[in-house]
Amino acid sequence: MPTYSYRCTVCNDAFDIQQSFSDASLTECPACGGKLRKLFSAVGVTFNGSGFYRTDSRAASTSSSSSSGSSASSAGSSSGSSSSSSSAAAAG
């Protein structure tokens, strides 16, 4: 069950309570009877397993894609006209 944090707007009393998703939010402070506000805070999320970390696949994909990608892109851009002329010469 999730834990929710509440704070009273009148007496500033803060507390945490476990409630199910189907339970209604608390509206009345148990200490003074004032109005409660639900507090929201940042939640730490951890993704475990392969593929979630920057170093998992970046080094492999960078080295393989950058070496093949840069050579293919440089070969395609610089020798693109020469390869088309060589392919035309080979065809003719």
Side-chain angles (χ1 to χ4, degrees):
M1 275 200 302
T3 302
Y4 294 100
S5 298
Y6 290 94
R7 176 168 291 167
C8 178
T9 59
V10 177
C11 67
N12 284 331
D13 184 33
F15 61 93
D16 296 335
I17 188 167
Q18 285 188 347
Q19 293 179 295
S20 93
F21 289 111
S22 60
D23 290 346
S25 295
L26 299 179
T27 56
E28 188 175 314
C29 177
C32 71
K35 185 177 178 183
L36 288 177
R37 297 286 304 203
K38 192 180 282 189
L39 301 176
F40 297 98
S41 59
V43 177
V45 176
T46 304
F47 296 103
N48 294 326
S50 63
F52 288 110
Y53 292 98
R54 199 176 220 187
T55 58
D56 280 350
S57 60
R58 184 168 240 178
S61 66
T62 303
S63 63
S64 64
S65 67
S66 67
S67 62
S68 64
S70 63
S71 63
S73 63
S74 64
S77 61
S78 64
S79 64
S81 59
S82 65
S83 65
S84 63
S85 62
S86 64
S87 63

